Amino acid sequence: MAVLPIRKFGDEILRQPAEAVTQFDSALQKLIDDMVDTMYAAPGVGLAANQVGVARRVAVIDLSVGKRRGELHVLVNPEIVETSGEITEEEGCLSVPDLVETVRRPESVTARYLDRSGEERRIFGQGLMARALSHEIDHLNGRLFVDRLRGLKRDRILKKIQKLAKAGMW
Ligand code: NI
């Protein structure tokens, strides 16, 4: 198991729609284990494979950041099947470090996915779990939370990133 470097905003791989997983082999198991290690080390509550440079449809979510058993979700080829409501809350991303903004997301999300052994499963999330599901599935489609911002909020965060990049701090 290993902690992998996390790609930042501006890296092209974050913009590529990731490819579906078809083989549940040892390479996939290693990728998942490395992603979990990387998420906990960051620390973060979610991570998508393209954030560690692998354009495959794999995401991990653990709202407890490893503190509680049974809260780790490994989602292979996840798809949103239903959403309801809308809620605007503060949100960040390991690929946009130290910058947060309020983002509108569904209040509840139902997704279907395959677990790490290829079994079909469903998950229903509300609040922070709905936000995490929406955020990570966005990643797999090449979308970042800044893309969901409009107007002043969007300009503000993009300017901060530009400023950090100019100073060689990105
Ligand atoms: Ni993210």
Side-chain angles (χ1 to χ4, degrees):
M1 301 213 272
V3 173
L4 304 172
I6 296 175
R7 306 295 181 95
K8 285 189 193 175
F9 179 96
D11 192 312
E12 262 308 300
I13 200 160
L14 296 173
R15 295 313 196 169
Q16 294 170 14
E19 283 180 35
V21 170
T22 54
Q23 294 199 340
F24 291 77
D25 54 9
S26 59
L28 177 70
Q29 304 308 320
K30 182 179 178 348
L31 171 66
I32 291 166
D33 290 339
D34 289 349
M35 285 174 63
V36 172
D37 282 356
T38 304
M39 170 175 69
Y40 290 162
V45 298
L47 189 72
N50 43 359
Q51 291 184 276
V52 292
V54 179
R56 293 277 164 190
R57 302 188 81 81
V58 180
V60 293
I61 295 174
D62 183 343
L63 299 184
S64 84
V65 201
K67 289 200 176 75
R68 289 187 296 272
R69 270 178 173 271
E71 292 210 19
L72 172 64
H73 300 277
V74 175
L75 312 170
V76 178
N77 300 343
E79 275 176 55
I80 289 178
V81 292
E82 200 179 344
T83 66
S84 73
E86 276 188 340
I87 186 163
T88 302
E89 295 274 11
E90 197 167 81
E91 170 173 334
C93 177
L94 296 175
S95 293
V96 189
D98 303 323
L99 301 177
V100 294
E101 192 47 88
T102 54
V103 183
R104 188 163 56 187
R105 298 266 183 194
E107 205 284 322
S108 70
V109 170
T110 304
R112 66 164 174 239
Y113 65 98
L114 302 174
D115 69 15
R116 64 187 300 164
S117 52
E119 293 293 315
E120 269 188 49
R121 291 180 184 273
R122 262 174 193 253
I123 184 168
F124 170 76
Q126 284 182 297
L128 187 55
M129 180 53 89
R131 182 163 296 273
L133 288 166
S134 171
H135 180 115
E136 299 312 329
I137 293 171
D138 268 4
H139 269 302
L140 300 179
N141 294 325
R143 201 161 182 218
L144 297 168
F145 81 88
V146 295
D147 304 331
R148 286 185 177 259
L149 303 174
R150 295 286 172 266
L152 215 63
K153 283 206 242 178
R154 184 183 169 84
D155 293 348
R156 191 162 59 201
I157 204 157
L158 292 177
K159 264 188 195 146
K160 280 183 191 164
I161 294 169
Q162 275 175 5
K163 213 172 155 186
L164 287 165
K166 251 191 184 170
M169 292 163 73
W170 192 253

